[in-house]
Amino acid sequence: MKPLEVIALAGPTAAGKTAAALALAEHLPLEVISVDSALVYRGMDIGTAKPSPAERAALPHHLIDLVDPAESYSAARFAADARRLVAAIRARGAWPLLVGGTMLYFKALWDGIDPLPPADAALRAAIDAEARERGWPALHAQLAQVDPLTAARLAPRDAQRIQRALEVHRMTGRPMSSLTTGRLTRDFQAERSAPAGIALISLEPADRGWLHRRIGERFAAMLDAGLIDEVRGLRARADLNASLASMRCVGYRQVWEALDAGADLERGSAAWHELLERGSAATRQLAKRQMTWLRSMPWRQVVACDAADAAEQVLRSVLPMTGSHR
């Protein structure tokens, strides 16, 4: 077996990955490589639960604040950036610690990714307009006509992936499934063996209700911390719109839509409570998708994130593999 080169800490949103990373950093020389498709955007701090300046000062973080929200950042670019960073961190004598919940990024790094055409903002806007008029289930049915293999693995309301598959088909005239080797379409099939040199620790709740409560509490805290004003500032930019990948991030999308509707979002208002529920529900759906990806990797080491000693369990799992002792 290839010697351990990389430690990966994955899990659904709100599972406590940042806290576990900081606990590990007390015992190992670490540098974090963020595996989060939202943290790459500058100026999107509250709704992404971006590590605080103090946390980033205590532990070096990479792949955060890379691009402007008007720009795109792909899984292929992540994989290239992460490979470069892993080599550099190892050369410095530290452990690369991959931390995040964007499972497509993990898969792109481990399995490679197929080249697909870049995003087309105008085409995405047109697809979004269709979805507003007809609903995403109708567009999912449309996708099933032109790309049944891709449609079969997507939920009828998986807006982001349905949009991408339709975009690729309309740009190339070919189904997205015909343009891939299958490496990233195996997301719901069990991967029985671990990638060489990687230890994956997965923070997963024994009680799903515990995670749902955490998600609701965290989204309420984001609203109290100024998420609505953060989105107002982004909406005021002429170069940003709701169809951009950055503005489709969970939380940002729901606040943007509420502001578009002219809702009274004063704390405690009916619209504020509705936004809280919609944002929390969208985050729960994200967590569900993340858990589905994780279950496709039976070689992962699961730590119950809702256990009182979760951080201690992470330490017991990781330190022996690195040859470190407390």
Side-chain angles (χ1 to χ4, degrees), residues 219-291:
F219 194 67
M222 288 175 177
L223 293 177
D224 286 340
L227 176 59
I228 295 169
D229 284 337
E230 185 173 72
V231 177
R232 282 195 179 106
L234 294 166
R235 287 176 83 250
R237 289 181 43 173
D239 59 341
L240 298 183
N241 60 74
S243 68
L244 290 170
S246 58
M247 296 301 100
R248 296 178 69 89
C249 289
V250 169
Y252 289 87
R253 180 176 183 175
Q254 287 70 37
V255 175
W256 189 294
E257 291 172 347
L259 291 170
D260 271 350
D264 170 17
L265 296 179
E266 289 298 316
R267 196 187 196 288
S269 68
W272 186 93
H273 283 288
E274 181 182 354
L275 173 59
L276 172 59
E277 176 50 35
R278 290 185 66 241
S280 299
T283 310
R284 292 194 298 269
Q285 286 298 311
L286 169 62
K288 182 179 179 180
R289 292 194 298 272
Q290 291 168 319
M291 292 291 293

Side-chain angles (χ1 to χ4, degrees), residues 16-39:
K17 297 182 289 294
T18 297
L22 291 171
L24 277 173
E26 294 179 4
H27 302 278
L28 290 172
L30 296 174
E31 295 187 35
V32 168
I33 300 174
S34 170
V35 190
D36 190 304
S37 60
L39 292 183

Side-chain angles (χ1 to χ4, degrees), residues 78-111:
F78 165 80
D81 287 345
R83 290 191 188 99
R84 171 181 52 79
L85 284 165
V86 165
I89 293 167
R90 294 288 290 163
R92 289 193 284 269
W95 287 99
L97 179 64
L98 297 162
V99 181
T102 301
M103 301 306 160
L104 179 63
Y105 281 12
F106 278 119
K107 293 283 284 185
L109 178 61
W110 296 335
D111 295 347

Side-chain angles (χ1 to χ4, degrees), residues 5-221:
E5 293 183 351
V6 175
I7 305 162
L9 191 59
T13 185
K17 297 182 289 294
T18 297
L22 291 171
L24 277 173
E26 294 179 4
H27 302 278
L28 290 172
L30 296 174
E31 295 187 35
V32 168
I33 300 174
S34 170
V35 190
D36 190 304
S37 60
L39 292 183
V40 300
Y41 296 113
R42 294 188 290 269
M44 294 173 58
D45 302 329
I46 298 170
T48 61
K50 195 168 286 181
S52 69
E55 289 169 336
R56 294 165 72 176
L59 177 59
H61 284 68
H62 303 278
L63 303 189
I64 292 177
D65 291 337
L66 287 184
V67 298
D68 186 85
E71 302 175 74
S72 61
Y73 187 83
S74 67
R77 181 175 169 186
F78 165 80
D81 287 345
R83 290 191 188 99
R84 171 181 52 79
L85 284 165
V86 165
I89 293 167
R90 294 288 290 163
R92 289 193 284 269
W95 287 99
L97 179 64
L98 297 162
V99 181
T102 301
M103 301 306 160
L104 179 63
Y105 281 12
F106 278 119
K107 293 283 284 185
L109 178 61
W110 296 335
D111 295 347
I113 191 165
D114 300 286
L116 291 172
D120 183 306
L123 187 50
R124 288 192 169 190
I127 294 170
D128 276 342
E130 288 182 50
R132 285 193 295 272
E133 181 179 344
R134 302 173 54 203
W136 285 107
L139 269 66
H140 181 265
Q142 180 185 127
L143 178 64
Q145 295 296 315
V146 298
D147 189 353
L149 290 178
T150 299
R153 67 184 184 85
L154 300 182
R157 297 186 182 279
D158 192 344
Q160 187 170 354
R161 291 182 176 86
I162 294 169
Q163 181 199 58
R164 178 58 172 157
L166 286 172
E167 176 189 35
V168 169
H169 180 263
R170 294 181 187 183
M171 291 175 70
T172 66
R174 297 175 59 189
M176 189 166 73
S177 56
S178 74
L179 300 173
T180 65
T181 63
R183 287 176 298 195
L184 290 180
T185 58
R186 296 197 309 262
D187 47 344
F188 299 119
Q189 300 176 19
E191 301 289 348
R192 294 296 171 186
S193 59
I198 295 174
L200 172 61
I201 309 301
S202 181
L203 290 168
E204 302 174 25
D207 174 14
R208 192 69 61 90
W210 176 90
L211 184 65
H212 289 177
R213 289 189 294 274
R214 290 252 305 183
I215 285 170
E217 291 165 1
R218 189 170 77 159
F219 194 67

